[in-house]
Amino acid sequence: IYTLSLHDALPILLHDTKVGNRCVFGYGTKIAGDCVIEDGVIFSSSVIENAKTRVGSGAMIQAGTTFSKDVPPYIICTKQVEYGGVNVQVAHQHGVDDKTLKHIANAYRLVFHGKTAIFDAVNQIEEQVPDGPFIRHVIEFLRTTKIGIITKIYANNTIAAACEPLLLCYYDVITTWHQHDLSHYDFALVINVDAFRGGLFLQAAPI
């Protein structure tokens, strides 16, 4: 089951593309042939997914993005086709608890912020990140990529790259302060707040 936005420019899905459950496609989005889209993926408007690519469960593709590489599970893919952090809200909907979210964030820190190849990053995840079904899903997705994954670095946000473990998505500022005890971190919120989908995209930076 997937949701189509009821607009004039309906999404287009081409031949032999496999779509999981509970996916959302924004208006004007175009999915080329032979793609694989896992469960709970959110495509914003005017996204173009090129042929033979994969999008992992719970990922979100920001509006206007065109991509030709695999997008791993539970992350945000920015318009610049860069890693934009863990997709916290959707991950929670997939049953990922806060402790596991930290493990996922640490896994992606090794993948996107390290200076190693994907193969080596996967080995580091297996060695350093506690095991669990969601981590195994991430590992399997990365290990089976045939065309590579989206950009491994933040091109325009080195501070966010250094602080990925504290990335919080889609939360109201006040709710975030009440729900997450950040008092034991020497960090200051908020350096970058972008309105999105009625919520806020928060990034933490060292003082």
Side-chain angles (χ1 to χ4, degrees):
I1 299 171
Y2 52 89
T3 304
L4 300 180
S5 298
L6 299 178
H7 293 270
D8 293 336
L10 288 174
I12 297 173
L13 283 75
L14 297 184
H15 63 89
D16 298 314
T17 285
K18 298 178 181 179
V19 180
N21 292 321
R22 302 180 305 278
C23 293
V24 177
F25 297 85
Y27 69 93
T29 287
K30 299 176 182 178
I31 311 297
D34 296 305
C35 294
V36 176
I37 300 168
E38 297 182 350
D39 294 342
V41 175
I42 298 176
F43 290 85
S44 301
S45 60
S46 302
V47 172
I48 298 176
E49 178 178 357
N50 288 320
K52 299 182 178 180
T53 52
R54 301 180 302 156
V55 182
S57 298
M60 192 201 73
I61 316 298
Q62 290 188 342
T65 302
T66 297
F67 64 99
S68 303
K69 299 287 186 180
D70 290 347
V71 178
Y74 315 117
I75 75 166
I76 297 171
C77 176
T78 71
K79 187 176 181 180
Q80 292 74 33
V81 198
E82 297 170 353
Y83 172 59
V86 176
N87 193 5
V88 174
Q89 183 177 11
V90 173
H92 277 152
Q93 293 172 359
H94 279 244
V96 182
D97 58 29
D98 289 337
K99 183 177 181 180
T100 304
L101 276 174
K102 292 180 181 179
H103 296 332
I104 292 173
N106 286 334
Y108 284 130
R109 176 180 54 81
L110 295 170
V111 173
F112 290 103
H113 303 158
K115 297 181 180 180
T116 61
I118 293 178
F119 175 81
D120 295 325
V122 168
N123 288 338
Q124 290 178 345
I125 293 172
E126 291 180 319
E127 294 172 358
Q128 300 178 29
V129 179
D131 189 30
F134 295 103
I135 294 299
R136 288 196 293 270
H137 184 114
V138 169
I139 290 172
E140 180 63 19
F141 188 96
L142 296 173
R143 184 166 278 155
T144 55
T145 185
K146 296 179 180 178
I147 59 175
I149 61 174
I150 61 171
T151 303
K152 292 182 61 175
I153 60 172
Y154 285 89
N156 300 313
N157 199 339
T158 55
I159 294 178
C163 304
E164 164 54 23
L166 294 181
L167 193 65
L168 302 171
C169 303
Y170 303 146
Y171 285 139
D172 177 85
V173 174
I174 302 301
T175 302
T176 298
W177 278 106
H178 284 291
Q179 291 185 350
H180 297 267
D181 180 14
L182 303 179
S183 59
H184 56 293
Y185 290 105
D186 291 327
F187 283 79
L189 293 176
V190 174
I191 61 163
N192 184 10
V193 179
D194 298 316
F196 188 77
R197 293 177 61 83
L200 292 170
F201 179 77
L202 295 102
Q203 294 172 341
I207 296 174

